[in-house]
Amino acid sequence: MTSTLLWSLIAVQIAMGAFDTLYHHELTERLAWRPSQRGELRLHAVRNWLYALLFLTLGFVEPKGFLAWIVMGVLIVEVIITLMDFVEEDLSRRLPATERVNHTLLALNYGAILVLILPVLLGWAGEATGMAWVSHGAWSLLALIASLSVAVFGLRDWFAAERSERLGLASAAGLADALAPAQKILVTGGTGFVGQRLVASLAAAGHEVTVLTRDGAKAAALPAPLRVVTSLDQLPGDTRLDAIVNLAGEPIADGLWTRAKRRAILASRLRTTRRLAKLVARLDRPPSVVVSGSAVGWYGSRGDEGLVESSPAAPAFTHRVCEAWEREAMDIAAFGPRIVVLRTGLVLGVEGGLLARLLMPFEFGLGGRIGSGRQWMSWISRDDLVRLICHAVATPSPSGPVNATAPEPVRNADFSAFLARQLRRPVLLPLPARLLHGLGRDFADEMLLGGQRVLPQKALASGFRFRHVRLDTALASILGQDEGQEAPVHSAAMVAAGK
């Protein structure tokens, strides 16, 4: 039982399990905040508690007789739970390649552990029932640390599964109430964070949705009925489209802005928008409206100034990207459609975007303000953004740039405090501006340390009303802790006055 090989394999199992939990489950897949993973979280919780029992037993006890049979039973149950987990994962989500490889290595290593440990347990099973207390030195200390760790994460997964009951998304159908029945709408970027919710809302409301995507696997997970195309050339000239919503583009906040990343960010937006212009030009009847994406980065970093659609911009990489993207979209107006360009703020939801990245560190008490915390954050809930897109399609008045942000932007320090309060955690670890600038340069300066105080003047003037106006009530709703507070009503005049 004191075999160095066996303990080495156990140590490898612990290391790979820790990597799977921290990197995949917490950091990248964020399972604790995905309502669809309730069953997987419960399986993880039970398995973690079994691991805690096994590590304590192997580290400090030699179980004899009937107790050895119990340990073997636990090992078999762990295998059954793992197989159930594999099935649950395949049914509920698309695993990244690194997670599949890690799972394979975990299974192989666990098989090797079973080969070494079962003969020992069978030998102990033949002895009189009892326990002999032992110590394996550093290996026992490793077993204790691993046992406490997996027990804690088991509790986290169990409570996260219980919390997911409150995180279930409301029906998407009501988000498209502004649209007339049976609209025919083309959506680019329909597999993204915003696009998925938009497509779900349109399909649930009975509209005919066509999605342009290069990722067939992601498109297959979108709710039916819808049509998927991989090229706009697949749409003949007699295709009828009432509207086009253009959300496609390389994510701008998913990595440092290397030269290649900058080119990809700009090219992906211009390429798709130019192809849409060619499609509209050859259609027998062009759509009545094209809603195209942009971002509040158009304004650059403007300090405390309240920014409406007519405000000028400051030089910045984000401005250059958004300005070029908007110009390409506005050129489509020459073929007949009304053009709406949504300058979108930080989109909040647990399934993606900024909030999803912040949940893990804040939930573990590691969150804090960024830099001075005085920079403005112009935000909008994902459902309000979907509603605003539908409003822009259905309402004839808005055209040109439209700020897609809630009426009450907040400073970063306040954002951090609101989020920590909703999670019932302290705000402990601010991120120093000098460190961020040294690591991220322009990316950090524009995306983390800079900001814009953007006000949705045109949206409100056109009659749109936000469901989530204040950040505290928006976060309460998004995080499943809605207290039923009503948001104040803002008027276009109040926004124009910067209130």
Side-chain angles (χ1 to χ4, degrees):
M1 185 62 187
T2 59
S3 164
T4 301
L5 175 60
L6 175 59
W7 277 109
S8 297
L9 292 177
I10 292 173
V12 169
Q13 192 79 359
I14 292 170
M16 289 193 297
F19 171 75
D20 195 38
T21 297
L22 296 176
Y23 181 75
H24 292 127
H25 299 173
E26 294 290 346
L27 188 61
T28 57
E29 294 295 292
R30 307 180 186 96
L31 300 185
W33 292 96
R34 291 172 63 172
S36 60
Q37 304 314 121
R38 187 180 310 146
E40 184 179 355
L41 287 168
R42 287 190 173 127
L43 289 171
H44 289 178
V46 175
R47 185 172 60 189
N48 279 338
W49 293 331
L50 291 179
Y51 266 128
L53 176 62
L54 287 171
F55 289 147
L56 280 178
T57 300
L58 298 179
F60 298 96
V61 175
E62 289 184 355
K64 305 297 179 66
F66 181 69
L67 297 179
W69 286 109
I70 291 177
V71 173
M72 285 188 280
V74 169
L75 291 170
I76 294 172
V77 170
E78 194 283 334
V79 172
I80 295 172
I81 290 177
T82 296
L83 293 175
M84 293 172 61
D85 187 36
F86 287 164
V87 173
E88 179 69 23
E89 288 169 341
D90 283 339
L91 292 176
S92 61
R93 65 185 176 101
R94 183 187 181 193
L95 272 67
T98 54
E99 190 171 3
R100 289 188 179 277
V101 170
N102 197 62
H103 285 182
T104 301
L105 294 176
L106 279 167
L108 292 173
N109 194 69
Y110 190 74
I113 291 172
L114 291 179
V115 168
L116 293 177
I117 201 173
L118 284 178
V120 176
L121 290 171
L122 287 170
W124 287 344
E127 301 181 27
T129 297
M131 288 191 302
W133 297 95
V134 296
S135 173
H136 303 291
W139 294 122
S140 291
L141 178 61
L142 174 65
L144 176 62
I145 294 172
S147 177
L148 294 174
S149 299
V150 294
V152 168
F153 273 95
L155 286 172
R156 170 186 167 65
D157 287 341
W158 186 264
F159 285 118
E162 295 299 310
R163 177 182 59 198
S164 67
E165 301 276 358
R166 305 190 303 272
L167 289 176
L169 291 175
S171 172
L175 303 178
D177 283 348
L179 294 175
Q183 297 285 293
K184 301 178 186 297
I185 301 177
L186 169 66
V187 179
T188 73
T191 59
F193 171 48
V194 175
Q196 288 182 31
R197 187 65 166 161
L198 174 63
V199 169
S201 70
L202 295 173
H207 300 291
E208 296 184 28
V209 186
T210 300
V211 175
L212 171 69
T213 181
R214 294 175 299 173
D215 193 331
K218 280 190 175 181
L222 293 173
L226 56 83
R227 176 185 183 186
V228 176
V229 296
T230 57
S231 169
L232 294 177
D233 294 335
Q234 295 172 244
L235 301 177
D238 61 355
T239 300
R240 179 191 163 190
L241 292 174
D242 297 304
I244 295 175
V245 180
N246 178 28
L247 303 175
E250 177 80 8
I252 199 168
D254 281 3
L256 298 181
W257 292 340
T258 63
R259 182 174 298 179
K261 179 70 171 180
R262 289 173 186 258
R263 285 198 299 265
I265 288 170
L266 182 59
S268 62
R269 286 158 173 78
L270 301 188
R271 182 172 55 247
T272 301
T273 308
R274 287 168 182 166
R275 289 172 179 171
L276 285 174
K278 292 179 180 179
L279 170 67
V280 173
R282 66 180 176 81
L283 289 178
D284 296 341
R285 195 193 77 172
S288 60
V289 58
V290 173
V291 178
S292 190
S294 185
V296 295
W298 187 92
Y299 298 102
S301 295
R302 301 294 301 277
D304 292 340
E305 182 181 354
L307 304 172
V308 296
E309 288 82 357
S310 58
S311 299
F317 170 67
T318 51
H319 169 72
R320 294 196 299 273
V321 170
C322 293
E323 195 276 334
W325 195 12
E326 291 186 14
R327 185 172 59 248
E328 292 291 340
M330 294 303 298
D331 286 347
I332 301 177
F335 305 111
R338 173 172 57 95
I339 308 299
V340 179
V341 176
L342 293 181
R343 291 176 179 167
T344 306
L346 300 168
V347 184
L348 302 186
V350 296
E351 297 85 1
L354 172 72
L355 182 60
R357 295 186 182 93
L358 293 177
L359 285 173
M360 193 270 280
F362 271 79
E363 193 172 20
F364 281 88
L366 303 176
R369 72 177 190 275
I370 299 175
S372 70
R374 292 190 55 78
Q375 66 272 34
W376 286 95
M377 299 177 69
S378 296
W379 59 276
I380 185 171
S381 72
R382 184 172 66 158
D383 279 0
D384 266 347
L385 178 55
V386 170
R387 292 178 57 247
L388 181 56
I389 291 171
C390 294
H391 173 84
V393 171
T395 308
S397 56
S399 63
V402 174
N403 290 338
T405 61
E408 294 190 8
V410 298
R411 295 188 187 275
N412 173 261
D414 294 326
F415 186 101
S416 300
F418 283 138
L419 179 56
R421 189 178 307 143
Q422 289 297 330
L423 296 175
R424 298 178 177 85
R425 298 293 189 275
V427 182
L428 296 177
L429 296 178
L431 291 174
R434 181 173 299 179
L435 173 64
L436 291 172
H437 173 76
L439 294 174
R441 301 296 177 181
D442 289 352
F443 173 84
D445 292 342
E446 293 189 37
M447 302 299 295
L448 302 176
L449 301 172
Q452 304 86 12
R453 184 174 172 236
V454 179
L455 305 171
Q457 187 180 65
K458 277 191 177 181
L460 292 174
S462 68
F464 184 74
R465 291 295 177 263
F466 292 84
R467 290 181 180 172
H468 297 128
V469 175
R470 288 178 13 207
L471 181 63
D472 55 350
T473 54
L475 287 175
S477 176
I478 292 169
L479 300 179
Q481 299 173 22
D482 196 345
E483 299 173 357
Q485 300 176 6
E486 292 188 4
V489 176
H490 278 60
S491 68
M494 292 171 67
V495 168
K499 297 182 179 179

